[in-house]
Amino acid sequence: MKRKIYIVSTLIIVILIGFVGGAVDILLSDSVIKIANDLGYPLYFFTALGVLKIVGGAMLLLPKKLDRIRDFAYAGFALDFLFASYSHYSSGSNIEEVIIPFVFLVILAISYSLKNKTTLFKSSEL
């Protein structure tokens, strides 16, 4: 059961935030441009953030023996979620936009807490 929870929580972060979120940030979709304007950030910030999200998502898929590198990805995503929430709060965004990054932070914390108790891939799958 722990393995399934770890896999789901990790893949939510990797796929939704890392790969999809990163690609949306890099492509500067209309929603990203609106958010950048609302928060007062320059567009190049989101391009750089998108690249880092994709790299961080890939880092979370590394094998257990590269755990220190994965820890950097966990820390990066945690900072991303905390600063996203604070940015929305500071700019007067609605409460949902302030809370959503905290929801992802909880999912990230679940993944992090289970990462040493189980693995994403069984050794025979690598």
Side-chain angles (χ1 to χ4, degrees):
M1 183 65 176
K2 285 182 181 180
R3 185 171 188 274
K4 287 182 183 181
I5 294 171
Y6 172 70
I7 289 171
V8 169
S9 62
T10 302
L11 290 179
I12 286 172
I13 300 298
V14 168
I15 294 170
L16 287 181
I17 304 300
F19 297 154
V20 174
V24 169
D25 286 351
I26 290 170
L27 296 174
L28 295 174
S29 68
D30 291 338
S31 62
V32 171
I33 293 171
K34 181 185 179 320
I35 290 170
N37 290 333
D38 292 346
L39 297 177
Y41 288 115
L43 292 177
Y44 63 81
F45 172 78
F46 285 92
T47 303
L49 184 62
V51 170
L52 292 174
K53 284 180 180 180
I54 291 171
V55 170
M59 288 169 64
L60 289 181
L61 297 176
L62 292 173
K64 196 176 224 175
K65 64 183 174 181
L66 299 172
D67 208 28
R68 286 189 178 182
I69 296 172
R70 287 192 308 164
D71 285 346
F72 280 108
Y74 278 107
F77 279 118
L79 288 173
D80 177 39
F81 300 146
L82 288 171
F83 284 119
S85 181
Y86 183 72
S87 293
H88 283 290
Y89 171 77
S90 296
S91 68
S93 298
N94 60 37
I95 192 71
E96 292 87 16
E97 291 175 332
V98 175
I99 292 175
I100 288 172
F102 279 119
V103 171
F104 284 112
L105 184 62
V106 169
I107 294 169
L108 182 74
I110 291 168
S111 172
Y112 183 78
S113 69
L114 294 175
K115 81 177 175 72
N116 291 327
K117 296 177 177 67
T118 186
T119 59
L120 192 59
F121 303 104
K122 292 181 181 173
S123 60
S124 63
E125 293 176 4
L126 292 177

